[in-house]
Amino acid sequence: MHVNIKDVPGREIAPGVVERTLLDALKTHLGILTVNHYVLFEGGRVEYGASQTEYQHYIVQGCATQNHPDGSLLLQDTAWFVPCNAPRGGEATRKHSICHAGEGEVRVLTISYGVDRPAFRWAKTRTRNLHMVPQPHAGRRLVGYVQIFTEEEHALMGALRMHGLDVQTNPLGVSHLDHKNPEEVMYILRGKGRAFSDGESHEIGPGSMLYTPEGGIHGIRTVEEPIQYLVAEFIDHPKRWSERGLQGEA
């Protein structure tokens, strides 16, 4: 499945907040994965807190803050993972928000995944900027590959569905061979090319999102301009992680 934000009508859900739904949960493998794109203007604030849901946010553009206007900064290319648990008990929901800060528009990609149980009690939110992660380009690898959150880190943070979160870069003319992965969302940040996903070929550019169910064949067939994209993968984490707090009991 492919969609671009320019083809999705936006709706104002709060003063200074425009929402576009790029992936409706009903169109996904299990019916519990949603991808939304938000544009925040001065004074804008988008609030989250759906029951039994974990979140992966990515600041595509601009500068935002966590939870209130003078909260911790979320700069461009920052990922923010929020597990499904409430710090003070009650429902397994961690209410949080992203607020506009600085000049210009803020663009946020939000991936939300419904889960069947809360994360372990001490699971916490985590943020990391792309530029805080080493970016090696091995001699045998033409595609740049940077893991913002590794698979192991997501598990330690209390993820029940979120797996790896990567930013990848293809130089001009370098394709990414067709392959299979867990359930995946790819979001194009920069560049232009053509991708193949789940039996269909699509022109891709900034704002394009591709969804591929688990085991679906996908890849980048052509690169017309150097292209950079965010890749999020999803699996069903073992139940014992949430119940036993990653203590490793038998």
Side-chain angles (χ1 to χ4, degrees), residues 9-118:
R11 64 186 187 99
E12 189 171 12
I13 61 170
V17 180
V18 174
E19 177 188 67
R20 290 175 172 85
T21 298
L22 304 185
L23 181 62
D24 188 302
L26 296 177
K27 297 180 179 180
T28 63
H29 175 58
L30 296 176
I32 47 179
L33 166 63
T34 303
V35 179
N36 287 315
H37 180 279
Y38 298 93
V39 180
L40 279 62
F41 304 93
E42 185 174 0
R45 173 176 179 166
V46 56
E47 298 183 347
Y48 308 93
S51 181
Q52 293 288 111
T53 302
E54 63 184 23
Y55 292 89
Q56 182 74 75
H57 307 292
Y58 192 82
I59 308 301
V60 176
Q61 173 185 307
C63 177
T65 57
Q66 294 180 351
N67 299 322
H68 43 77
D70 59 349
S72 298
L73 288 175
L74 294 168
L75 303 176
Q76 179 173 318
D77 292 321
T78 294
W80 183 17
F81 171 73
V82 182
C84 174
N85 71 343
R88 295 180 179 83
E91 291 187 30
T93 301
R94 183 182 289 265
K95 298 186 184 302
H96 60 288
S97 60
I98 294 178
C99 307
H100 180 278
E103 298 181 280
E105 298 177 353
V106 175
R107 295 178 178 266
V108 182
L109 188 74
T110 293
I111 300 170
S112 54
Y113 215 122
V115 294
D116 61 358
R117 61 195 186 273

